[in-house]
Amino acid sequence: CDVSNAAEIDAELKRASDAVGEIDVLVTCAGASTPGRFLVQSPDDAERTMRGNFFGTMYPTRAYARRMVRLGRRGRICMVSSAAAFMTFVGYASYAPSKFAIRGLAETLRNELLPYDIAVHVLYPPDTETPGYENENKTKPAECIEISKQGTVMTARDVASTMLRGLDAGDFHIACELGSKVLVALGNAVAP
């Protein structure tokens, strides 16, 4: 299903609920990055990234939240953002804004969905060993490659384990490693 297509999401959520019962936890993990220089990339690159990353998070979140409210059921939503939602650098002009937007959506919905007993969480993984990360490395500018070498690369399993621990603890912000934890703490010094 195309997570950036609202109509497809509504139909898929209904199919999934019919097949396995109501969904207690929604994890939105749509994401892709094609790093490149801002002055070289086309506006289409940014639109494609925003469509997949942000709208690919917003549409499932909206469909799920509306369904839970309509059914009078509690629920939990975990949106996968990125450490790039707190700090970014050369090469991520199309990617980082989409992850900032997810963070903003999570912060907004955290309060808005509270009266409906729908908890919202946001995960900030660092670089993660996935096929998408392998593709991302193919277009990174040289400076971006050097900066990335200084950071942490986690396995998808370790990121998932961190997410589950954060969900079990009821954490709103779920950071995966020390660098992200520091960014989250500093970035939220004045946030609600």
Side-chain angles (χ1 to χ4, degrees), residues 7-177:
E8 284 187 35
I9 289 296
D10 287 336
E12 190 61 33
L13 181 60
K14 182 176 182 339
R15 273 194 296 278
S17 296
D18 289 347
V20 298
E22 291 306 325
I23 298 164
D24 294 322
V25 180
L26 173 71
V27 177
T28 61
C29 191
S33 176
T34 309
R37 296 195 175 280
F38 176 72
L39 297 177
V40 175
Q41 287 188 314
S42 75
D44 291 341
D45 293 325
E47 288 178 15
R48 183 176 49 256
T49 302
M50 188 62 77
R51 191 171 43 254
N53 294 356
F54 176 70
F55 289 104
T57 294
M58 188 190 78
Y59 293 153
T61 297
R62 184 174 188 273
Y64 174 79
R66 289 170 59 100
R67 184 174 181 86
M68 293 298 100
V69 169
R70 188 173 61 253
L71 296 173
R73 288 181 51 106
R74 68 178 305 275
R76 291 195 294 173
I77 300 166
C78 184
M79 299 179 199
V80 179
S81 180
S82 170
F86 286 95
M87 182 184 79
T88 189
F89 40 84
V90 65
Y92 287 111
S94 65
Y95 176 75
S98 71
K99 295 303 184 170
F100 273 94
I102 291 169
R103 176 182 163 200
L105 179 64
E107 289 181 359
T108 302
L109 295 183
R110 173 188 191 188
N111 297 306
E112 190 171 323
L113 296 178
L114 194 61
Y116 302 104
D117 204 16
I118 298 173
V120 176
H121 312 265
V122 61
L123 177 71
Y124 304 104
D127 287 338
T128 306
E129 293 175 358
T130 64
Y133 180 63
E134 290 176 22
N135 286 332
E136 177 182 333
N137 283 329
K138 294 175 184 174
T139 63
K140 280 184 179 175
E143 301 93 334
C144 186
I145 291 169
E146 290 305 313
I147 293 168
S148 291
K149 287 179 184 177
Q150 307 307 310
T152 301
V153 179
M154 291 181 70
T155 66
R157 180 179 299 276
D158 288 341
V159 170
S161 294
T162 300
M163 179 190 70
L164 292 173
R165 282 192 303 275
L167 289 172
D168 286 345
D171 296 340
F172 171 63
H173 293 289
I174 305 171
C176 293
E177 38 72 58

